[in-house]
Amino acid sequence: MAVYNIAIDGPAGAGKSTIAKLAAKKLGFIYVDTGAMYRALALYFIRKGIQAEETEKLAEALKEADVSIRYEAGEQIVLLNGENVNAYIRTEEVGKMTSVTSALAMVREKLLELQRKLATEQSVLMDGRDIGTTVLPDADLKIYLTADAGVRAERRYKELVARGESCDRMQIERDIILRDQQDMSRAVSPLRKAEDAILVDASFLTIDEVTEKILSLFEEAKKQKGK
Ligand code: DC
C-alpha cells in the first residue's frame, strides 16, 4: 500500500490540530502532533528547574530526555522517558517554555529523526511549523493554514471563557502576535510557508469547510502524482 504524507503548518490558534485530527481520521492516516513533542521536552526542562536561557544545562538535560509516541484508540500519547505526559503539556507555562526551547537547534535535531521515521512507516498527516519546509520536504500535499490574528484571539478567548477562566481579550491577541513573531523570526526552522504549500486562510471558514478543502486538495494531489 502506498504511503502518503500530508504536512500542515501554520501559526498557533488557526485550528490546525482540530482540522488535522478530523482529516486524518477521514483518511485513515496517523495524526502526528509535533508541537506535543516540543512541549514534552519543555516539560522536562521545567521539571528539572532549568531556565530557558541556561543553554548548557539544557544541553546536558537533553541527553537524558527521551521522547517517543504511541497511539491508543487513535489518540497520540507522548511519552517522556516512558511516562505518558499528555495531561501536563497543555499549560501556559509549558507553552511559554516551548516557544523558547523549540528555537534551539539541538532541541529540533533531537525530534527531527523521530518525526521523519514516523512518516516513512505509515501514511501520516503531520502538523507543526516546519513540516513542509524541513521535516517532510517531499510531502504529497503541503498546507499552510492560517487565520487573522484577531479571529484567532477571539476563538481562544471564547475557549477560555467557556472553561470558566478569566482573561483579557486584548492580552490574548498581543500574546498571539508575539508568539507568531517568535516562531517566524527564529534562526532555525522558522515558521514560513513552503514554496509549494497551498495557503488556506481559515478566518471565515468553519472547521468542516477547511477539513473538506484539505481532503479535496489531497484527492487532486494524488491524481497529479498518479500514486
Ligand atoms: O502547536 P503547538 O502550540 O503545540 O506548538 C507549541 C510550540 O512548539 C510553539 O511555540 C511552536 C513550537 N513548534 C515548533 O517549533 N515546531 C513544530 N514543528 C511544532 C511546534
Side-chain angles (χ1 to χ4, degrees):
M1 228 168 73
V3 167
Y4 295 104
N5 289 170
I6 301 179
I8 303 191
D9 293 298
K16 280 195 311 292
S17 61
T18 310
I19 289 158
K21 247 186 236 170
L22 277 172
K25 198 168 175 193
K26 291 208 170 172
L27 290 165
F29 290 7
I30 297 276
Y31 164 56
V32 183
D33 171 1
T34 60
M37 301 175 187
Y38 285 98
R39 285 172 181 270
L41 281 181
L43 175 69
Y44 187 74
F45 300 140
I46 292 171
R47 284 180 171 177
K48 287 265 166 189
I50 305 171
Q51 305 297 313
E53 318 69 57
E54 297 178 302
T55 317
E56 274 177 32
K57 285 191 186 170
L58 290 177
E60 269 311 301
L62 202 54
K63 290 184 201 154
E64 300 149 14
D66 177 61
V67 173
S68 57
I69 66 170
R70 74 160 188 254
Y71 288 86
E72 278 175 20
E75 195 67 22
Q76 174 179 293
I77 310 284
V78 184
L79 303 167
L80 174 62
N81 292 339
E83 176 196 351
N84 174 352
V85 291
N86 275 27
Y88 312 112
I89 57 177
R90 302 276 159 214
T91 64
E92 265 309 293
E93 186 192 15
V94 171
K96 285 209 172 108
M97 184 70 157
T98 312
S99 68
V100 183
T101 55
S102 64
L104 302 170
M106 59 183 171
V107 168
R108 305 202 72 83
E109 271 162 30
K110 176 129 189 158
L111 297 177
L112 184 63
E113 203 185 320
L114 168 65
Q115 293 164 357
R116 284 197 176 142
K117 188 162 173 276
L118 286 165
T120 53
E121 289 167 347
Q122 67 243 302
S123 291
V124 296
L125 197 156
M126 190 176 285
D127 88 3
R129 304 293 189 284
D130 61 335
I131 312 305
T133 54
T134 308
V135 183
L136 305 175
D138 298 325
D140 300 289
L141 173 66
K142 298 182 187 178
I143 303 286
Y144 189 83
L145 183 66
T146 188
D148 176 75
V151 173
R152 288 185 279 140
E154 187 63 27
R155 286 183 191 157
R156 180 86 184 125
Y157 174 73
K158 285 185 180 151
E159 267 169 32
L160 292 171
V161 170
R163 273 199 243 152
E165 291 178 34
S166 70
C167 52
D168 173 352
R169 161 78 182 67
M170 288 313 290
Q171 187 57 45
I172 293 175
E173 186 163 341
R174 282 195 291 272
D175 284 349
I176 281 184
I177 291 169
L178 181 69
R179 196 68 63 87
D180 287 355
Q181 281 167 352
Q182 277 171 350
D183 288 347
M184 288 174 182
S185 63
R186 67 183 176 214
V188 193
S189 276
L191 167 65
R192 67 175 174 81
K193 180 185 160 301
E195 268 173 30
D196 51 352
I198 298 167
L199 179 80
V200 176
D201 185 334
S203 304
F204 305 105
L205 297 176
T206 64
I207 284 172
D208 285 341
E209 284 169 337
V210 180
T211 308
E212 285 308 317
K213 190 170 176 66
I214 291 173
L215 294 175
S216 72
L217 286 169
F218 178 61
E219 283 309 311
E220 262 174 54
K222 259 196 333 194
K223 267 188 221 143
Q224 272 178 17
K225 297 211 165 193
K227 236 169 129 178

